[in-house]
Amino acid sequence: MTSPVPAGTDRRIYIDKQSPKAYHALAQTSEAVRAVAADAGLDRVLVELVNLRVSQLNGCAFCLHLHTRAALRAGDTPQRLGVLAAWRDTELFTPAERAALALAEATTAPADTAAQDAAYAAARDALTDDQISAVIWVAVTINAFNRVSVMSRHRVRAEQ
């Protein structure tokens, strides 16, 4: 069912609102993935770094806003978050975080098999099998949320 949209306004629909059952299933998946990550021993900062890096790659302003706040609440620093897009060029990230970020990037651009192979090799040196699986699931899930927000054009409003 469509609703009339006044001339000159954005004609996008919020697909999370239009199809709440599908969105609810995605939210439940996210909760399960968060539990899998915790069970695998991944700390919240690492999970939020993955969420942020994938959201950077996908250009999702809404998720960047949301997960920057979550990363700060989890204890990450403004310095690290500020240089996350260039994480390879800093020494601010642990080997496990670096492996997770590379794996998240490879999950976001799966057609680049060379990057995928390199990321997997690095992950094997720094993460357990459970952690590798959890990182991939975190990346898969945030990729889905990014698409929901980007296609719906969820807005980021100025904070008071």
Side-chain angles (χ1 to χ4, degrees):
M1 178 167 122
T2 61
S3 59
V5 177
T9 62
D10 193 345
R11 299 189 53 85
R12 301 275 178 117
I13 58 170
Y14 283 8
I15 65 170
D16 49 328
K17 306 290 187 240
Q18 189 70 29
S19 305
K21 287 183 184 177
Y23 185 77
H24 181 70
L26 182 57
Q28 286 181 312
T29 299
S30 179
E31 289 175 22
V33 168
R34 192 177 0 252
V36 164
D39 290 347
L42 296 179
D43 70 13
R44 192 71 193 165
V45 168
L46 185 145
V47 169
E48 292 305 335
L49 288 173
V50 168
N51 285 331
L52 283 166
R53 185 63 188 129
V54 170
S55 296
Q56 286 174 339
L57 295 171
N58 289 325
C60 184
F62 186 84
C63 293
L64 284 166
H65 174 70
L66 181 76
H67 291 285
T68 295
R69 291 171 55 192
L72 290 168
R73 279 193 312 273
D76 214 335
T77 66
Q79 180 190 23
R80 283 171 30 108
L81 299 180
V83 299
L84 180 59
W87 63 269
R88 285 180 178 85
D89 299 326
T90 75
E91 296 178 4
L92 298 177
F93 301 95
T94 69
E97 290 168 339
R98 297 172 77 76
L101 290 167
L103 200 54
E105 289 177 356
T107 302
T108 302
D112 186 347
T113 56
Q116 202 179 98
D117 290 344
Y120 230 97
R124 283 276 183 213
D125 291 338
L127 303 169
T128 68
D129 288 356
D130 285 344
Q131 290 172 332
I132 290 170
S133 180
V135 166
I136 292 169
W137 274 110
V138 170
V140 165
T141 306
I142 193 62
N143 267 290
F145 278 112
N146 288 167
R147 273 118 181 108
V148 169
S149 289
V150 168
M151 293 307 295
S152 298
R153 286 206 180 132
H154 288 159
R155 303 283 181 226
V156 176
R157 303 198 192 298
E159 293 179 340
Q160 303 287 329

